[in-house]
Amino acid sequence: MAASEPEAFYSSAEAERPEQRAGVLLVDDSPENLTALEAVLEPLGERLVSAQSGEQALRALLREEVAVILLDVRMAGMDGVETARIIRSRPRTRHIPIIFLTAQASDVEEIALAYATGAVDYVVKPFEPDVLRAKVSAFVELSRERAERVRQSRARAQAEAVAATVRKLQIVSDAALAHLELDELLAEILERATTLFDADAAGVLLHDDDGLGLSLRASRGEPFPLAADERVTFGEGALGRVADERRPVLLSAVELAPESDAPASPIDNCLVVPLVASGELIGLLYLGARPGRRFGGADLELLALAGERVAVAIEHAQRYAHELELVEILQRSLLPERLPSHPNLELAARYRPSGVAAQVGGDWYDALVLAHKRIGVMIGDIVGHGVRAATTMGELRGALRAFAIEGHSPGQALRQLDRVVQATIGQGMVATAMFLILDP
């Protein structure tokens, strides 16, 4: 008997193989016996794999999916008992049932050893064809049932993994869609990301105003090896290369080591994904971990998917901020730059725009000196928001100011204004307005 299995028999034992129909492995050092076994089992219609030694059998198991093994006990070189021992020692093949073939029905000791090695049955030569076919058919059917259970189990595990991934992405997406204020959005996303990925640090770098680099806009957890006022230049350093190449990466502590005077950081490894929206890079999202927590490929893939949603949300928040700024500029330009002065009256005004761009635009106020040192004071609100409401407000303010200067009383001026609205804008526009004249 061979003392040990050749090393090659273990080297590829766990390699992935394409799905194939399970077969029946026939092992006998006699070609005549193999031919007889094949003739007996051929009516079953199963795939038959033949081997003339224990070594050949072990090599066949490296590449074949086998439902049952018919193994001759007494073979030259590596005998059946030694071959069965090695088969049972390997995780991938230990479950395969082994039927021993023996010519010594009276050898009780050999049969007991065969069962101790892992045999499930034995057949005495010369064997009864119908009996052998029945036994082999039963084990093949059991193998099919086992394979189906394994397939179903893997399918459930895969479905659960996909569902978990979708839930994580949904959590990030909910945060992305629920906020329009950029600072609030970034804080919420980083909080959820550190929780979902069990990260010790997180942060977002966004484009500088000049568009030539990236700067840290928001962070959470442990300090990142990047100075607060340090700018990431495209193509320079680990983060600069990620921004330049626009591909997610897993960086080690060595790769994270800064070339600048950044503060010391306990971060050992880091996930970095580009944030791309409308085909343009807007920033980077990173997650960091201390020693003992290692991110993997699945983490990187999931964060990259989350990064796509985060990028869209950041782009929307930036657009809203830009719109808010433009509308506020427009609205302020339509309001009086200063209030008139009067020796007997002091006027003051406060304008506080809404924090959301879509809600800005409809309010106005005005004051002007009329004849006989009287003061006309107006305040109003247009139904609706945005740029259109702001421009309509400007039209109404100018018209009401003109009627006041012409000397109309408040009631007459508002009736004139209503006729202007009916003639130019129509009944779809609604506004409330107050106009009073103060005589100090």
Side-chain angles (χ1 to χ4, degrees):
M1 293 190 299
S4 63
E5 181 190 13
E7 184 66 22
F9 294 159
Y10 288 104
S11 60
S12 304
E14 302 304 322
E16 294 292 332
R17 295 172 179 76
E19 292 297 326
Q20 56 182 333
R21 186 164 55 95
V24 179
L25 178 59
L26 312 176
V27 187
D28 198 309
D29 59 354
S30 170
E32 292 79 8
N33 290 343
L34 282 177
T35 301
L37 284 171
E38 292 170 353
V40 169
L41 299 178
E42 186 176 3
L44 294 178
E46 305 296 342
R47 184 169 51 86
L48 304 179
V49 180
S50 299
Q52 294 186 14
S53 67
E55 288 86 350
Q56 287 186 12
L58 294 174
R59 281 195 291 269
L61 289 173
L62 292 175
R63 62 179 183 274
E64 301 284 353
E65 291 293 335
V66 173
V68 61
I69 301 172
L70 275 65
L71 181 58
D72 186 24
V73 174
R74 296 192 176 187
M75 294 186 296
M78 183 185 296
D79 67 8
V81 175
E82 178 67 8
T83 303
R85 184 190 65 78
I86 295 174
I87 292 172
R88 283 287 178 265
S89 68
R90 290 167 49 184
R92 185 177 175 276
T93 58
R94 65 178 49 163
H95 68 279
I96 302 176
I98 300 175
I99 300 176
F100 273 117
L101 305 176
T102 178
Q104 304 291 332
S106 59
D107 194 342
V108 178
E109 182 178 349
E110 186 178 74
I111 294 174
L113 180 60
Y115 280 117
T117 306
V120 297
D121 203 351
Y122 74 95
V123 175
V124 179
K125 303 174 185 177
F127 39 78
E128 185 65 34
D130 291 337
V131 174
L132 184 59
R133 278 194 293 267
K135 291 184 176 183
V136 170
S137 180
F139 284 119
V140 168
E141 186 60 32
L142 288 174
S143 175
R144 288 199 178 104
E145 293 177 0
R146 177 183 179 278
E148 178 61 19
R149 288 195 298 271
V150 170
R151 187 195 64 78
Q152 293 176 355
S153 177
R154 289 176 177 172
R156 284 194 298 270
Q158 184 178 14
E160 291 171 358
V162 170
T165 299
V166 170
R167 285 194 297 270
K168 289 184 177 181
L169 288 176
Q170 188 63 47
I171 290 173
V172 176
S173 299
D174 288 346
L177 297 175
H179 303 86
L180 295 178
E181 290 285 344
L182 182 59
D183 291 339
E184 181 183 358
L185 168 67
L186 296 180
E188 183 71 17
I189 287 175
L190 294 184
E191 179 181 358
R192 296 193 182 198
T194 52
T195 301
L196 290 174
F197 289 86
D198 191 24
D200 299 302
V204 173
L205 296 92
L206 297 180
H207 263 296
D208 294 331
D209 293 337
D210 57 15
L212 300 178
L214 303 173
S215 296
L216 189 62
R217 178 62 184 267
S219 62
R220 177 182 174 85
E222 297 290 352
F224 193 69
L226 185 71
D229 58 349
E230 184 178 357
R231 184 163 78 169
V232 173
T233 303
F234 297 118
E236 297 182 8
L239 296 180
R241 288 190 294 273
V242 175
D244 200 37
E245 298 173 4
R246 298 188 185 184
R247 60 181 182 86
V249 296
L250 174 58
L251 300 176
S252 65
V254 175
E255 293 170 309
L256 285 171
E259 299 177 357
S260 62
D261 297 328
S265 173
I267 298 304
D268 177 68
N269 62 104
C270 184
L271 299 171
V272 184
V273 300
L275 300 176
V276 179
S278 301
E280 297 294 330
L281 179 79
I282 63 174
L284 298 175
L285 170 64
Y286 72 80
L287 294 180
R290 290 171 170 268
R293 164 72 169 104
R294 298 292 299 179
F295 292 119
D299 295 317
L300 184 61
E301 183 177 355
L302 179 57
L303 186 62
L305 292 173
E308 295 176 2
R309 291 153 176 78
V310 169
V312 172
I314 291 176
E315 182 188 39
H316 287 174
Q318 290 175 330
R319 286 181 178 177
Y320 270 101
H322 184 59
E323 180 184 346
L324 174 61
E325 182 181 3
L326 291 178
V327 172
E328 184 176 341
I329 292 174
L330 172 62
Q331 187 162 9
R332 287 191 182 278
S333 69
L334 296 174
L335 296 175
E337 294 183 5
R338 60 182 182 275
L339 297 175
S341 60
H342 194 282
N344 304 109
L345 190 66
E346 183 178 356
L347 299 176
R350 294 291 184 271
Y351 170 61
R352 298 286 300 274
S354 168
V356 181
Q359 296 180 356
V360 176
D363 307 302
W364 91 88
Y365 65 87
D366 200 1
L368 67 161
V369 178
L370 302 176
H372 311 297
K373 295 184 179 181
R374 294 178 301 168
I375 300 292
V377 178
M378 312 162 193
I379 188 167
D381 183 18
I382 307 294
V383 174
H385 308 292
V387 175
R388 183 174 183 179
T391 54
T392 304
M393 171 268 291
E395 295 174 3
L396 266 61
R397 175 191 168 226
L400 187 57
R401 170 182 276 259
F403 295 141
I405 293 175
E406 288 179 354
H408 294 286
S409 67
Q412 292 172 337
L414 290 174
R415 281 190 290 274
Q416 289 285 88
L417 182 63
D418 187 59
R419 283 195 289 270
V420 170
V421 169
Q422 294 287 346
T424 59
I425 302 177
Q427 297 184 355
M429 199 285 296
V430 178
T432 56
M434 180 193 73
F435 173 29
L436 59 89
I437 296 177
L438 299 176
D439 188 347

